[in-house]
Amino acid sequence: MTPRQARRLRVILASVLMAVMAVLLVVRLASSTSVLVVGDYGLALILCGIVIELSRNGRTRLGTWLLCVGLVTALAVDWLLL
């Protein structure tokens, strides 16, 4: 895979995950209206946007690690605290 293809793949992956996080936010807000829910999923959405920008600027490995660790942490916080 060329670097250009890797960047494009990570941008698409982060965009899809951003859409998934937005849907999960709406579903969670329908069941419980909590500031922690908005904060948790809001930070996950911001993280996806940061990863998209990192990938566009050629920092694909850093973006991949940040995306994986950040989204696993956001989902763990949702599962453990909320």
Side-chain angles (χ1 to χ4, degrees):
M1 184 179 296
T2 66
R4 178 180 218 132
Q5 290 170 333
R7 283 192 299 265
R8 184 166 284 169
L9 178 67
R10 283 177 182 86
V11 167
I12 291 169
L13 179 65
S15 300
V16 168
L17 288 173
M18 183 182 277
V20 168
M21 286 295 142
V23 169
L24 284 174
L25 174 63
V26 169
V27 169
R28 290 288 291 161
L29 282 177
S31 65
S32 70
T33 55
S34 171
V35 176
L36 289 175
V37 170
V38 175
D40 183 35
Y41 285 101
L43 287 175
L45 289 169
I46 291 169
L47 177 73
C48 289
I50 290 170
V51 169
I52 290 170
E53 280 303 310
L54 284 173
S55 294
R56 287 182 56 216
N57 292 324
R59 305 297 299 180
T60 54
R61 279 187 238 146
L62 175 64
T64 301
W65 279 104
L66 186 63
L67 185 65
C68 292
V69 171
L71 291 183
V72 167
T73 303
L75 292 175
V77 165
D78 181 42
W79 183 68
L80 291 173
L81 297 178
L82 306 174

